[in-house]
Amino acid sequence: MKIFKNALLFGFMFISTLTVFSQSKVTGTVIDGEFNQPLAGASVVVKGTTTGTATDFDGKFEITTSQKSGEIVISFLGYETKTVSYTITGNSVNVGNVVVSPEAGQLEEVVLVGKGIIDVAKERKTPIAVSTIKASEIQAKVGTADVTQAMVNTPSVYVAGQAGGYGDSRITVRGFQQDNTAFLLNGQPINGMEDGKMYWSNWSGMSDIANFIQVQRGLGSSKLAISSVGGTVNFVTKATDKKEGGFVSMGVANSDYFKSTAAYNTGMNAKGFGMSIMMSHWQGDGYNQGTRGEGQNYFISFGYKPNEKHNFNFLITGAPQSHDQNFTKRISDYLAFGRKYNNNFGYLNGKYISERTNFYHKPVANLNWDFNINSTTSLSTVLYASWGRGGGTGNYGSGKVSVKVPTHPITGQTNYSTYIDYDAIYANNLADADGIGTGSNYAIRASMNNHAWYGLVTNFKKELNENLNLNFGLDLRTYNGDHYRQISNFVGLNGWTESRPLRDNTHVVPVPNTTLPVVSNTVNQSYNINPWYAFFNTADDSQKIDYDYSETISYGGVFGQLEYSNDNFSAFFQGAISNQSHQRFDYYDYQDQYQDSEKVSNVGYNVKGGAAYNFAEKHAVYANAGYYSRQPYHDNIYLNFTNQVNPLTENEKVLGLEAGYTFKSKMFTASLNAYRTTWEDRVVTTSTVQATNGTIGTTPVLAGDVIFTENQGVKQIHSGLELDFVFKPTSNIDVKGFASMGNWEYADKAISTKRDENLNPLLVTETDLDGGKVGDAAQTTWGLGVKYEFIKNFSIDADWRNYDKLYANVAAKDNLELPSYDLVDAGISYKMLVGKDKQNSVNFRFNMNNVFDEVYLSELTSNIKTDAFISGTSGPTYQSAGRVYKGIADGNQGYFGFGRTWNFTIRYNF
């Protein structure tokens, strides 16, 4: 390309000399309208000629031409083509910043609302390990999957769990599970406040509303006091569109999947008002047996920009859904009954019934206010709320009956239970004398998890001088959760009755005796598990079973950041401190005067700092370091789901180190990152009541003594290298690649200590975990993707990924390694311009995932070796009995990954 450009320039100079005409220059900068940053590799051509160039990494271009006036045409794969007029007076003209927008039909926002809160890496001059996935790629690649599918081509990110059902996937970042990765929605934290986990079924509409997703691996750039041990994932939604328009789309996929979506934008009127609205419906049978699902998604955004100083945006979005679930099973069961086997469902009078259904509706609302106080000062604030209603179903009572096969084809077990026999269960329940079920009957219960969450995040930014910026702000949250069980299907019964002793603060378990009052209750109402119904209808206290408790969690934090930057050097320092308080209230198992637990408060903090140096035009290096003192989660503060406070919890300690190198040129950019993260001082405690007089170790204990079992010392060290690159040899070819090579290990020993009520140690046992591999994510991954637009608006793309060094999700010194595997995904896109002046378009997209139908194990939850005995301590081993699958004992539990799947979408943009 460079030789061609030089030759072309030489030719123009020669012609100019012969004709005595002077040459002129057209310069400018191309800006990505979605991210407000330079767009490298864009094609710039003088219209009607072959004179052209490509923008450099800073988005700049320069063209020499003999035409004193004319037009230049700017194009880039995935963006709308833009034509700009120019007139040269003298020898040159600068057309300034030329903003190009993504392909038509994407809801472009007026501004990035909450821009001081949504801390994405484009605001960070100090580089970090980051990957950004734009809306066009999300819409193209996700298809029928969870939004996590958009992140599969990101270094050190592993996606698993899809086999559980719609919305049951999960991701790990640098080997850390979701409770150790921070997830943000428009700057607000969305990890569960009780346990830090993410449930993607609650966010099934994210692929429809995401403007972009940014995965910041490691320390990240977020200023909040959040637990970004593995990384931070920012979901930034669309906002109110500035132009009138919209789209309608329909999609179909394997397993009878169907989805329809419609969106409309009023555009911003002269008074600064506008509204965008989007709604969708989806349904499907699920890839595996018994994993049907159905849901909707809604998104409503109101924008108001009264003047240049103020910008307001209110949005509310939700994704009510229900989906049936599949759980891990033995490999031998899959081999016997098929890789899609699921035993969580059955039929009653020929009608399908699932025992395991997740149903939830969690609308999220936020109000953003951006205030440009003056040219150097701004204030951004988001006030947010979410209300979750729903839960998951399961069996209740011991009266479950299953359809049996005479002999298991693999294990030889006789009279083996498979699917649920609801006809037999119904008959047994009808035979009950009074129709009121007890522990020997069967019903389907729903475990409810309802909550209300309110928060405020505000950030004040001040440019102290040309090179120095200061940020500081507040992060306030309050959360109230209610947990109880109710009946969703009596399966022929008229009601259910149960008795229980009420606890006081002395009895930590409900042991029936003369000092504890015994109460009973009978319920006779069943509740619909439709997520819309569940949102507006909650069970009366008299209709709750098994448990009924709630908790209140309050969080208050302050954060600050100071950043210095000049042309070649930048540095930043961040700090945050927070206080988190917890209290539990148990209405079911405690007497009235003992229902409120002790209130527990913990202080945590983090500090981060880093610097970067551009030592040449195309080269930069950086280093970051951070330390976290993280409060324990709520579920570890109170023991055994009681009001008993765990006296042994302490803050977890996390130390992160990171360094990297970045190369940027006109056609090729690459980043190499190295990291090391240690995570320690984790404490998990349980308690039991001694049943009889005896000894623990050498210490006598009495019946009724409370015994604490403290598990600690599980230290993890995660280190590795990451490489990602983008190569744009021409404007119609896009090549991306990544590699991550991790070494994630346990260190030292796991120590289990039994203690008495005075916390005196009774017995200490040690388990050597040193050097054991951390499981649940592939430690080595490679990927390569290519997109080629072989004719205008018609492109094909393909992605290849290899997963290796994947271990079972257990803590063991000698962990089980799963077979490596490869996946290839491919797609075709076509955009047809229609309507007046070709302003509208019809987009077609076809995806095929796992093109070669690779059969692979995506995860295991057990660690059985091939030389282990099949039963007991003697007899045949898995190896000697020939019960080995791809080197893995078939008694292990886990999931097979999906085979070949497909989806097709048609979308009309207007």
Side-chain angles (χ1 to χ4, degrees):
M1 185 68 180
K2 185 175 181 180
I3 295 174
F4 173 76
K5 286 168 55 185
N6 289 339
L8 190 62
L9 181 60
F10 175 80
F12 280 144
M13 292 177 65
F14 180 73
I15 294 173
S16 175
T17 301
L18 292 177
T19 58
V20 200
F21 283 116
S22 62
Q23 295 293 314
S24 303
K25 293 180 180 180
V26 180
T27 61
T29 304
V30 178
I31 301 296
D32 181 338
E34 190 170 17
F35 294 96
N36 192 32
Q37 59 185 2
L39 185 64
S43 173
V44 184
V45 178
V46 178
K47 189 174 183 178
T49 74
T50 59
T51 304
T53 186
T55 58
D56 62 18
F57 197 81
D58 293 321
K60 297 183 182 301
F61 66 88
E62 178 182 302
I63 296 180
T64 302
T65 176
S66 60
Q67 297 182 5
K68 289 292 185 179
S69 64
E71 295 178 323
I72 56 172
V73 179
I74 300 169
S75 60
F76 189 79
L77 186 63
Y79 286 74
E80 294 179 343
T81 300
K82 190 157 189 176
T83 302
V84 178
S85 300
Y86 71 89
T87 300
I88 300 175
T89 55
N91 294 324
S92 66
V93 63
N94 189 321
V95 297
N97 291 342
V98 181
V99 179
V100 294
S101 301
E103 292 176 342
Q106 297 184 37
L107 292 175
E108 305 164 3
E109 52 187 6
V110 179
V111 294
L112 187 63
V113 294
K115 58 186 178 182
I117 303 299
I118 306 172
D119 199 354
V120 295
K122 70 186 181 113
E123 303 291 342
R124 164 76 56 246
K125 295 182 175 63
T126 301
I128 59 173
V130 63
S131 300
T132 302
I133 305 108
K134 300 181 181 181
S136 56
E137 185 176 353
I138 297 168
Q139 294 168 5
K141 296 295 181 70
V142 168
T144 63
D146 298 340
V147 71
T148 54
Q149 179 68 23
M151 294 175 265
V152 297
N153 295 306
T154 304
S156 295
V157 171
Y158 187 73
V159 180
Q162 301 98 320
Y166 293 112
D168 280 355
S169 68
R170 65 183 190 280
I171 69 172
T172 61
V173 180
R174 288 185 174 173
F176 293 100
Q177 296 179 343
Q178 296 185 143
D179 56 342
N180 292 299
T181 299
F183 296 91
L184 304 175
L185 175 66
N186 290 340
Q188 68 189 62
I190 58 175
N191 293 73
M193 286 194 70
E194 299 170 18
D195 53 15
K197 295 180 180 179
M198 285 291 296
Y199 300 93
W200 294 106
S201 57
N202 298 339
W203 309 98
S204 59
M206 188 67 76
S207 59
D208 292 326
I209 66 174
N211 192 27
F212 64 89
I213 302 170
Q214 189 172 88
V215 183
Q216 303 170 4
R217 302 183 299 278
L219 300 175
S221 68
S222 176
K223 296 182 285 289
L224 302 184
I226 52 179
S227 302
S228 52
V229 181
T232 302
V233 180
N234 271 292
F235 295 96
V236 180
T237 68
K238 300 173 173 68
T240 307
D241 195 277
K242 63 183 177 181
K243 297 184 298 183
E244 183 180 8
F247 72 88
V248 292
S249 71
M250 289 189 296
V252 294
N254 58 279
S255 307
D256 289 330
Y257 182 91
F258 172 79
K259 180 177 181 179
S260 59
T261 307
Y264 175 69
N265 320 299
T266 65
M268 301 296 287
N269 63 24
K271 294 183 178 180
F273 287 97
M275 182 181 76
S276 295
I277 184 170
M278 178 163 56
M279 294 186 178
S280 68
H281 172 84
W282 65 271
Q283 61 189 56
D285 287 345
Y287 182 83
N288 288 318
Q289 297 174 353
T291 55
R292 298 180 182 180
E294 179 178 349
Q296 295 80 39
N297 176 38
Y298 56 89
F299 171 85
I300 303 172
S301 178
F302 297 92
Y304 176 51
K305 189 172 184 179
N307 50 52
E308 292 302 316
K309 282 186 173 294
H310 299 277
N311 185 58
F312 299 91
N313 199 90
F314 172 79
L315 70 83
I316 184 168
T317 182
Q321 61 77 41
S322 63
H323 70 278
D324 301 336
Q325 295 178 293
N326 179 31
F327 297 154
T328 59
K329 292 172 181 62
R330 296 182 304 179
I331 296 174
S332 59
D333 288 340
Y334 290 120
L335 298 179
F337 307 115
R339 296 198 310 274
K340 296 183 178 182
Y341 173 63
N342 179 14
N343 58 357
N344 290 336
F345 71 99
Y347 295 88
L348 176 59
N349 294 326
K351 181 181 178 181
Y352 167 91
I353 297 179
S354 174
E355 183 183 77
R356 297 285 183 172
T357 300
N358 176 278
F359 60 101
Y360 218 77
H361 186 184
K362 181 185 172 69
V364 176
N366 62 52
L367 175 63
N368 288 274
W369 173 38
D370 290 318
F371 177 25
N372 294 317
I373 301 172
N374 55 45
S375 61
T376 62
T377 311
S378 63
L379 178 69
S380 292
T381 303
V382 57
L383 179 67
Y384 64 88
S386 69
W387 307 269
R389 302 287 188 272
T393 66
N395 64 298
Y396 201 61
S398 59
K400 186 173 182 176
V401 181
S402 297
V403 177
K404 301 181 184 296
V405 295
T407 305
H408 191 291
I410 304 296
T411 67
Q413 293 171 274
T414 58
N415 212 25
Y416 188 76
S417 297
T418 56
Y419 305 97
I420 301 172
D421 190 345
Y422 279 111
D423 289 325
I425 292 172
Y426 188 82
N428 290 344
N429 282 348
L430 282 182
D432 189 89
D434 60 1
I436 304 298
T438 60
S440 60
N441 293 100
Y442 176 97
I444 300 179
R445 52 79 185 163
S447 300
M448 305 299 292
N449 180 358
N450 300 339
H451 73 256
W453 182 348
Y454 303 95
L456 171 73
V457 181
T458 184
N459 178 69
F460 179 84
K461 181 179 180 180
K462 176 67 176 178
E463 296 180 12
L464 301 178
N465 57 44
E466 183 180 357
N467 304 112
L468 195 61
N469 291 327
L470 174 66
N471 286 266
F472 62 86
L474 297 173
D475 179 8
L476 307 175
R477 312 170 215 164
T478 182
Y479 174 96
N480 185 82
D482 296 315
H483 307 268
Y484 57 89
R485 281 181 168 174
Q486 61 191 28
I487 296 295
S488 65
N489 191 336
F490 282 112
V491 198
L493 294 170
N494 297 320
W496 193 277
T497 188
E498 57 190 19
S499 300
R500 65 194 184 279
L502 292 181
R503 304 173 184 172
D504 55 24
N505 282 347
T506 302
H507 299 81
V508 294
V509 293
V511 180
N513 57 40
T514 57
T515 65
L516 293 178
V518 177
V519 299
S520 62
N521 70 304
T522 300
V523 300
N524 54 23
Q525 185 174 347
S526 62
Y527 292 84
N528 194 321
I529 60 173
N530 179 287
W532 288 99
Y533 178 91
F535 188 79
F536 295 103
N537 296 273
T538 57
D540 294 334
D541 290 346
S542 62
Q543 295 295 319
K544 297 175 180 178
I545 60 171
D546 202 22
Y547 57 78
D548 178 17
Y549 67 91
S550 64
E551 72 277 326
T552 297
I553 304 172
S554 298
Y555 178 98
V558 295
F559 57 85
Q561 173 184 288
L562 189 65
E563 184 173 39
Y564 172 85
S565 64
N566 58 32
D567 291 341
N568 296 316
F569 176 78
S570 62
F572 78 98
F573 176 80
Q574 295 177 4
I577 186 169
S578 61
N579 182 74
Q580 188 163 271
S581 65
H582 305 257
Q583 191 168 15
R584 189 178 187 275
F585 311 92
D586 197 309
Y587 316 109
Y588 196 81
D589 290 328
Y590 282 84
Q591 300 172 52
D592 290 347
Q593 63 269 38
Y594 302 110
Q595 290 181 354
D596 297 0
S597 77
E598 176 187 344
K599 189 174 183 179
V600 177
S601 296
N602 296 289
V603 175
Y605 64 90
N606 66 53
V607 290
K608 293 186 283 187
Y613 177 59
N614 299 315
F615 59 88
E617 181 181 357
K618 300 178 181 180
H619 306 271
V621 293
Y622 77 93
N624 296 326
Y627 179 80
Y628 293 83
S629 177
R630 187 177 76 174
Q631 302 102 317
Y633 284 120
H634 178 89
D635 286 352
N636 194 34
I637 290 176
Y638 298 98
L639 294 169
N640 307 323
F641 298 100
T642 72
N643 287 350
Q644 184 185 17
V645 175
N646 184 352
L648 301 170
T649 57
E650 60 179 300
N651 283 11
E652 299 171 3
K653 310 300 189 301
V654 182
L655 175 64
L657 305 172
E658 187 175 50
Y661 162 75
T662 301
F663 173 81
K664 300 177 181 180
S665 69
K666 186 177 298 184
M667 293 189 297
F668 181 78
T669 65
S671 295
L672 178 66
N673 304 289
Y675 65 90
R676 187 179 192 272
T677 304
T678 60
W679 179 30
E680 55 187 319
D681 286 351
R682 299 160 57 193
V683 178
V684 179
T685 308
T686 58
S687 66
T688 57
V689 175
Q690 184 71 19
T692 61
N693 296 337
T695 60
I696 296 180
T698 60
T699 304
V701 293
L702 302 176
D705 285 353
V706 178
I707 306 300
F708 295 100
T709 301
E710 173 193 12
N711 296 292
Q712 61 180 0
V714 182
K715 180 180 179 180
Q716 291 178 208
I717 300 176
H718 294 225
S719 58
L721 294 173
E722 298 165 339
L723 171 70
D724 61 290
F725 68 86
V726 176
F727 177 47
K728 299 178 184 294
T730 66
S731 62
N732 64 335
I733 297 179
D734 190 353
V735 182
K736 297 181 179 180
F738 72 90
S740 56
M741 292 155 281
N743 184 35
W744 311 329
E745 295 183 339
Y746 295 102
D748 304 326
K749 299 175 181 179
I751 302 172
S752 179
T753 305
K754 291 188 179 296
R755 301 177 184 269
D756 63 19
E757 292 183 67
N758 295 320
L759 304 184
N760 297 312
L762 305 175
L763 178 66
V764 178
T765 56
E766 295 182 349
T767 303
D768 185 12
L769 295 177
D770 196 48
K773 299 296 184 180
V774 175
D776 202 35
Q779 301 199 16
T780 299
T781 57
W782 305 82
L784 184 66
V786 178
K787 183 176 181 178
Y788 175 52
E789 188 177 37
F790 53 95
I791 60 175
K792 186 173 179 58
N793 297 327
F794 201 158
S795 65
I796 59 174
D797 56 85
D799 295 292
W800 162 81
R801 300 182 300 278
N802 173 266
Y803 298 96
D804 196 12
K805 304 298 181 184
L806 171 62
Y807 297 89
N809 187 19
V810 296
K813 185 177 180 66
D814 184 20
N815 203 355
L816 182 63
E817 184 176 353
L818 283 65
S820 61
Y821 62 93
D822 298 87
L823 295 178
V824 174
D825 302 333
I828 301 175
S829 296
Y830 175 63
K831 181 174 70 173
M832 181 172 61
L833 300 178
V834 296
K836 184 179 179 180
D837 299 325
K838 304 295 184 181
Q839 293 298 307
N840 303 337
S841 67
V842 181
N843 292 3
F844 302 88
R845 174 69 185 183
F846 177 79
N847 285 315
M848 182 173 288
N849 294 331
N850 194 0
V851 172
F852 299 106
D853 202 20
E854 175 100 350
V855 178
Y856 64 99
L857 292 166
S858 62
E859 57 187 296
L860 290 180
T861 57
S862 57
N863 186 30
I864 302 173
K865 302 299 194 301
T866 57
D867 58 358
F869 295 112
I870 294 175
S871 178
T873 57
S874 62
T877 65
Y878 286 93
Q879 184 71 54
S880 65
R883 290 181 49 187
V884 176
Y885 175 79
K886 291 188 176 182
I888 305 294
D890 70 4
N892 282 288
Q893 300 244 136
Y895 285 124
F896 277 91
F898 284 177
R900 184 186 295 116
T901 60
W902 62 270
N903 61 80
F904 173 76
T905 303
I906 180 171
R907 174 169 167 152
Y908 172 59
N909 304 301
F910 59 90

